[in-house]
């Protein structure tokens, strides 16, 4: 099927690390993305990882990719209240004239002060 | 550089009415995409334009939805007649190339059908 799965909710305390998990279905996906949606705002690109990489770090964000298990995770170090948002993972499918993102349901991160 | 813009930001209409959503992509981006998120579910692909041509419209729900991109610049998505299940947030995205370029998303239009 097309499903990209994420847990719906995550709650952490300010200063702790957050880990948001995602499983996807298409082993041929070339890129995997993380987007953030703050209340009332659009989708903001956070980071992405190419499928031949295992890990990518960008300041407080660390993306881990396990291709064998089709598992993607986003770790946010030193989580702040401003990180409260919905986080979407997405796999890019580009073949046979079709180019689109398959999104997960989104994980709502709540950061407690 | 201006990002992807969408208009209106919110629309509330009654069942059976017509609504037209507009998307202005990033200047110079040939590729334009429409997605929607219904009732807190996943964001689903609707269709993809390359310039003024429809590259892929496999995600369009039914023939009540009509997307156009005359001249290959901005795009409109018309819903006629609107049904209750069409309520959701409609996102537009654009990218420069097709196969590897990141898609940049607009703020979305929240459509409520009463």
């Amino acid at each position: 099927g097309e499903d990209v799965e994420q847990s719906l909710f995550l709650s952490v305390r300010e200063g702790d690390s957050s880990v948001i998990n995602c499983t996807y279905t298409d082993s041929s996906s070339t890129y995997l993305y993380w987007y953030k949606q703050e209340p009332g705002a659009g989708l903001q690109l956070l980071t992405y990882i190419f499928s031949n990489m295992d890990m990518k770090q960008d300041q407080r964000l660390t993306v881990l990719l396990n291709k064998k298990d089709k598992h993607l995770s986003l770790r946010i170090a030193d989580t702040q209240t401003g990180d409260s948002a919905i986080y979407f993972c997405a796999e890019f499918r580009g073949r046979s004239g079709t180019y689109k993102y398959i999104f997960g349901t989104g994980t709502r991160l709540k950061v407690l002060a | 550089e201006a990002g992807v813009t969408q208009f209106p930001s919110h629309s509330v209409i009654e069942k059976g009415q017509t609504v037209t959503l507009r998307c202005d992509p990033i200047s110079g981006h040939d590729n334009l995409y429409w997605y929607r998120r219904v009732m807190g579910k996943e964001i689903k692909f609707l269709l993809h334009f390359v310039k003024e041509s429809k590259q892929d419209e496999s995600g369009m729900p039914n023939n009540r939805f009509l997307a156009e991109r005359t001249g290959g610049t901005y795009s409109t998505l018309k819903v006629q007649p609107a049904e209750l299940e069409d309520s959701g947030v409609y996102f537009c995205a654009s990218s420069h190339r097709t196969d590897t370029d990141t898609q940049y998303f607009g703020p979305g239009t929240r459509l409520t059908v009463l």
Side-chain angles (χ1 to χ4, degrees):
Chain A
E2 282 207 334
D3 291 351
V4 173
E5 296 188 353
Q6 301 177 239
S7 53
L8 292 179
F9 300 100
L10 176 65
S11 179
V12 300
R13 294 206 172 275
E14 190 174 22
D16 288 349
S17 291
S18 308
V19 179
I20 302 171
N21 294 300
C22 172
T23 56
Y24 59 99
T25 56
D26 190 343
S27 58
S28 65
S29 292
T30 51
Y31 288 90
L32 295 130
Y33 294 84
W34 284 102
Y35 282 84
K36 174 184 180 183
Q37 185 183 25
E38 296 183 66
L43 295 172
Q44 173 196 351
L45 175 65
L46 275 182
T47 187
Y48 64 92
I49 188 167
F50 189 53
S51 57
N52 68 353
M53 299 169 65
D54 298 323
M55 184 182 85
K56 181 179 179 181
Q57 187 152 2
D58 183 2
Q59 299 182 334
R60 292 191 298 120
L61 305 179
T62 303
V63 179
L64 295 178
L65 175 61
N66 180 329
K67 280 196 72 174
K68 175 176 171 288
D69 295 336
K70 301 191 191 70
H71 184 265
L72 182 73
S73 69
L74 174 70
R75 179 178 181 269
I76 306 172
D78 186 25
T79 312
Q80 303 298 307
T81 54
D83 295 324
S84 293
I86 302 175
Y87 292 80
F88 293 93
C89 70
E91 59 171 323
F92 175 75
R93 292 201 190 157
R95 58 175 179 269
S96 303
T98 294
Y99 303 95
K100 60 185 179 182
Y101 287 4
I102 306 298
F103 282 90
T105 53
T107 298
R108 185 179 295 274
L109 174 65
K110 184 174 181 179
V111 183
L112 305 172
Chain B
E1 178 185 87
V4 177
T5 58
Q6 293 186 244
F7 181 83
S9 57
H10 293 85
S11 181
V12 181
I13 60 172
E14 293 190 349
K15 176 183 170 180
Q17 289 186 321
T18 298
V19 63
T20 301
L21 314 181
R22 174 172 168 141
C23 168
D24 286 77
I26 293 171
S27 178
H29 281 194
D30 286 343
N31 298 282
L32 187 149
Y33 310 80
W34 284 98
Y35 293 81
R36 75 172 179 178
R37 187 179 190 221
V38 174
M39 288 188 63
K41 296 186 178 178
E42 69 272 24
I43 300 169
K44 283 204 165 184
F45 168 83
L46 295 179
L47 88 159
H48 168 206
F49 283 100
V50 177
K51 297 185 181 178
E52 67 275 7
S53 300
K54 291 176 186 173
Q55 176 80 8
D56 178 2
E57 51 185 332
S58 62
M60 294 287 265
N62 51 60
N63 60 9
R64 295 185 294 102
F65 289 75
L66 175 63
E68 294 180 321
R69 194 183 181 196
T70 307
T73 54
Y74 71 90
S75 173
T76 57
L77 179 65
K78 181 191 285 189
V79 185
Q80 179 183 30
E83 298 289 343
L84 299 178
E85 64 264 26
D86 300 332
S87 295
V89 181
Y90 289 77
F91 292 102
C92 175
S94 71
S95 70
H96 181 49
R97 296 188 315 169
T98 302
D99 50 354
T100 57
D101 255 20
T102 297
Q103 297 177 20
Y104 295 91
F105 283 77
T109 293
R110 181 174 294 277
L111 174 64
T112 303
V113 183
L114 303 175

